[in-house]
Amino acid sequence: MDMMNYSPMRIHQWGFSRVQEWNYSEAEITSAFWRAWINDRESPVLFHNGRRINMKPHNIYLIAPETNISTCSNGEFKQLYIHFTMKFPGHEPQDNIFEIPVWPEVDRLMKLWSEKFVRGSLQTFLSIAGVLHTAVSKLPDKYFVRKGELDKRIAATLRTLSGTTIGHYSNKTLAEKVHMGESAFIHLFTRQIGVSPQIYYRSKRIERAKFLLAFSESSIESIATDTGFVDRYHFTRIFRTLTGETPARYRKQHRGDAG
């Protein structure tokens, strides 16, 4: 892979806003995507697995996907927020909160944006992207190291199943794409990835569906089709089994949610 031309990060939403009320339950704020938060004062609080985290203004808080958190605040504050997804070369953190100390440039930007934040500026976006990339690079090393080399055929399959266009792939189709027999392909994929191709594929479809529900205007019927399900009924049944809620409820809770 040419690392000079590769970024594993995709930013979905970002902004800098004044927050007057920040009281959210787990159901309202837990997300399938990463969040990054920087606040300008200590009033915001996170609750995670019985732990109370008093957010400090000189930290970046990286919230991993599927982290069950709730929030509260006792006063107004300003917040830089970023919603994003990552394709980790190793294994992606789940249900975790990372507190990353900021560096002088971030303090300078926060002060600048507190005075004037230009939402449509390319320079502003590039500054935010730079802050985010640097913060993520400070995560523990274990998340960037893959245990053993992936077989090139399995790596190619992962790229196929991680694209923005989900497609409709049976085990036979996936095996044929990498010139393998179906049984040998299933065995190799399961040994290297830890789950069967179809379980992995289903998780990627649900991940993509969560993104579309939260960030697109597509109908649930259209999302069901786009993510490889037979119809809305089939999609709803699988989605509820894996997430504990229906697509409609997920959309209501996560569309335009707090930073």
Side-chain angles (χ1 to χ4, degrees):
M1 177 184 295
D2 181 2
M3 297 301 291
M4 294 298 291
N5 295 311
Y6 173 73
S7 173
M9 191 174 299
R10 180 181 180 187
I11 296 175
H12 302 302
Q13 289 185 336
W14 55 278
F16 188 88
S17 62
R18 183 185 303 275
V19 181
Q20 295 181 318
E21 183 177 346
W22 205 51
N23 302 306
Y24 294 97
S25 66
E26 287 186 3
E28 292 174 308
I29 205 165
T30 299
S31 172
F33 312 102
W34 281 87
R35 283 186 168 97
W37 288 322
I38 309 176
N39 303 316
D40 70 340
R41 61 188 60 186
E42 294 186 359
S43 61
V45 177
L46 298 176
F47 298 94
H48 175 239
N49 292 339
R51 175 188 173 204
R52 176 189 174 104
I53 302 173
N54 296 305
M55 301 177 73
K56 300 176 182 178
H58 298 289
N59 280 350
I60 297 176
Y61 292 84
L62 297 177
I63 316 298
E66 308 302 345
T67 301
N68 295 316
I69 58 173
S70 57
T71 66
C72 73
S73 66
N74 57 13
E76 184 178 285
F77 61 96
K78 294 179 181 178
Q79 180 185 74
L80 171 69
Y81 65 90
I82 313 170
H83 298 178
F84 64 102
T85 50
M86 281 283 294
K87 294 181 180 178
F88 275 84
H91 61 285
E92 184 172 26
Q94 296 282 331
D95 192 24
N96 213 330
I97 298 174
F98 300 92
E99 302 177 55
I100 310 294
V102 302
W103 47 103
E105 175 65 9
V106 178
D107 282 331
R108 186 190 72 81
L109 287 170
M110 288 292 289
K111 182 178 179 181
L112 175 67
W113 291 335
S114 290
E115 297 171 356
K116 184 179 181 180
F117 184 77
V118 183
R119 179 67 173 81
S121 165
L122 176 60
Q123 184 178 29
T124 300
F125 173 75
L126 291 175
S127 295
I128 286 175
V131 169
L132 182 59
H133 278 79
T134 301
V136 170
S137 75
K138 296 177 181 293
L139 291 175
D141 291 344
K142 65 181 180 179
Y143 296 117
F144 299 96
V145 178
R146 186 182 293 282
K147 296 179 179 179
E149 287 295 323
L150 271 186
D151 184 285
K152 291 181 178 179
R153 295 165 294 184
I154 301 304
T157 301
L158 293 183
R159 289 194 294 272
T160 295
L161 298 181
S162 297
T164 55
T165 302
I166 294 296
H168 302 269
Y169 301 109
S170 65
N171 286 332
K172 182 179 180 181
T173 300
L174 292 171
E176 289 175 346
K177 286 176 71 69
V178 293
H179 309 291
M180 293 183 69
E182 184 175 350
S183 296
F185 168 73
I186 294 172
H187 176 75
L188 179 61
F189 187 101
T190 303
R191 179 164 58 84
Q192 292 213 322
I193 304 304
V195 295
S196 71
Q198 289 305 309
I199 289 178
Y200 180 88
Y201 173 40
R202 186 176 65 178
S203 73
K204 300 305 291 185
R205 291 156 66 196
I206 294 298
E207 177 184 303
R208 177 63 178 165
K210 286 180 175 180
F211 167 75
L212 293 172
L213 289 166
F215 299 115
S216 81
E217 298 298 326
S218 299
S219 68
I220 293 178
E221 289 80 3
S222 177
I223 291 172
T225 300
D226 291 345
T227 51
F229 292 93
V230 175
D231 51 32
R232 177 170 177 164
Y233 173 78
H234 180 222
F235 170 53
T236 297
R237 181 169 58 83
I238 298 300
F239 192 94
R240 183 163 47 195
T241 297
L242 296 182
T243 69
E245 55 190 344
T246 66
R249 180 172 175 78
Y250 183 90
R251 164 166 274 179
K252 182 178 179 181
Q253 291 177 340
H254 294 276
R255 174 177 285 179
D257 60 3

